[in-house]
Amino acid sequence: MSNRKFDFLLEKGIREEFDEVGSSLEFNAGDIIVEPNKYIKVIPLVLKGTIKVIWETNGGNELILYYIRSGESCAVSLSTSLMNKLSNIKAVAEENVELIAIPSSVSSKWYEIYSSWRMFVLKTMDNRYDEIINALDSVAFKKIDERLVDYLKSKSEALQSNVLNITHQEIANELSTSREVISRLLKQLEQKGVLKLFRNKVEILSLV
């Protein structure tokens, strides 16, 4: 195995196959990696960068379910490919991304044969379960100002940066609200001294 991000895959067979079947891919920020209503053909294993996983409602609204970081994969892609179902999510590069793409058919075979891959899949699903529940809870029970703070925290942690290059409109789109509402709430947070606003950029100072 040439990449040490995934050297927890212990069996000799999978470590040899990893280099044989894995394809190195790169995506620019904003590129769509997984599309909804299509079969998952490859499983993304992230080497560098961050991917956001989005669920699109029937009404056209979007909800960010979780972020995929270096050394991780997509729980929904793994489960969907194992069940041979159409994708119900969209995965978008939050920043420039480098990943290893494993064919879904190979991933399914590994799940049956290799215990280290099976454990990786199960842990990935388990870890994402809480994040998905929190995302749904936020929409169902939290006010938009609370959701905005949670959103900024989550994005900052995912990107490991307190500077977010994003417009008010983009935030509004991802929170399914209006730009005017987001601009007003961001201004209130700025007045409280927890962030600074710039053109197409938000600098987080202290979000509790």
Side-chain angles (χ1 to χ4, degrees), residues 164-204:
L164 307 178
N165 295 302
I166 192 167
T167 67
H168 294 192
Q169 185 62 61
E170 289 170 333
I171 297 174
N173 292 343
E174 296 197 345
L175 292 179
S176 298
T177 188
S178 69
R179 181 188 59 78
E180 290 76 15
V181 168
I182 293 301
S183 295
R184 175 173 55 80
L185 293 175
L186 287 173
K187 192 63 178 178
Q188 291 175 0
L189 291 173
E190 184 178 45
Q191 290 170 349
K192 292 178 181 179
V194 299
L195 54 78
K196 287 185 178 180
L197 299 177
F198 302 90
R199 182 175 177 81
N200 300 335
K201 184 171 69 175
V202 177
E203 180 182 357
I204 298 172

Side-chain angles (χ1 to χ4, degrees), residues 82-109:
L82 283 172
M83 299 296 292
N84 195 31
K85 295 169 57 179
L86 291 172
S87 165
N88 59 356
I89 55 97
K90 178 168 68 175
V92 181
E94 182 75 355
E95 54 188 340
N96 292 347
V97 168
E98 297 176 12
L99 58 81
I100 300 294
I102 302 296
S104 296
S105 58
V106 174
S107 171
S108 298
K109 184 192 75 171

Side-chain angles (χ1 to χ4, degrees), residues 46-59:
V46 179
L47 303 177
K48 183 179 179 181
T50 305
I51 299 171
K52 61 183 175 185
V53 177
I54 300 167
W55 175 54
E56 294 184 328
T57 69
N58 292 332

Side-chain angles (χ1 to χ4, degrees), residues 118-135:
R118 185 161 57 249
M119 185 58 65
F120 171 65
V121 171
L122 294 175
K123 283 185 175 180
T124 298
M125 292 179 182
D126 183 61
N127 290 340
R128 298 309 181 198
Y129 176 80
D130 288 340
E131 293 180 83
I132 292 173
I133 292 298
N134 288 336

Side-chain angles (χ1 to χ4, degrees), residues 8-137:
F8 56 80
L9 301 174
L10 303 176
E11 294 92 345
K12 179 181 178 182
I14 194 173
R15 294 172 72 85
E16 292 175 348
E17 289 183 53
F18 192 95
D19 289 331
E20 294 176 3
V21 303
S23 301
S24 297
L25 299 177
E26 296 184 5
F27 296 89
N28 295 320
D31 286 351
I32 297 176
I33 299 173
V34 176
E35 295 185 74
N37 301 314
K38 291 188 177 181
Y39 286 102
I40 302 291
K41 295 182 178 180
V42 296
I43 302 300
L45 303 179
V46 179
L47 303 177
K48 183 179 179 181
T50 305
I51 299 171
K52 61 183 175 185
V53 177
I54 300 167
W55 175 54
E56 294 184 328
T57 69
N58 292 332
N61 293 323
E62 295 185 345
L63 173 64
I64 296 177
L65 298 179
Y66 53 83
Y67 292 93
I68 311 171
R69 305 167 184 85
S70 176
E72 299 177 344
S73 187
C74 177
V76 176
S77 294
L78 286 164
S79 62
T80 301
S81 65
L82 283 172
M83 299 296 292
N84 195 31
K85 295 169 57 179
L86 291 172
S87 165
N88 59 356
I89 55 97
K90 178 168 68 175
V92 181
E94 182 75 355
E95 54 188 340
N96 292 347
V97 168
E98 297 176 12
L99 58 81
I100 300 294
I102 302 296
S104 296
S105 58
V106 174
S107 171
S108 298
K109 184 192 75 171
W110 285 356
Y111 187 84
E112 298 294 332
I113 298 175
Y114 300 117
S115 61
S116 60
W117 180 258
R118 185 161 57 249
M119 185 58 65
F120 171 65
V121 171
L122 294 175
K123 283 185 175 180
T124 298
M125 292 179 182
D126 183 61
N127 290 340
R128 298 309 181 198
Y129 176 80
D130 288 340
E131 293 180 83
I132 292 173
I133 292 298
N134 288 336
L136 296 175
D137 176 76

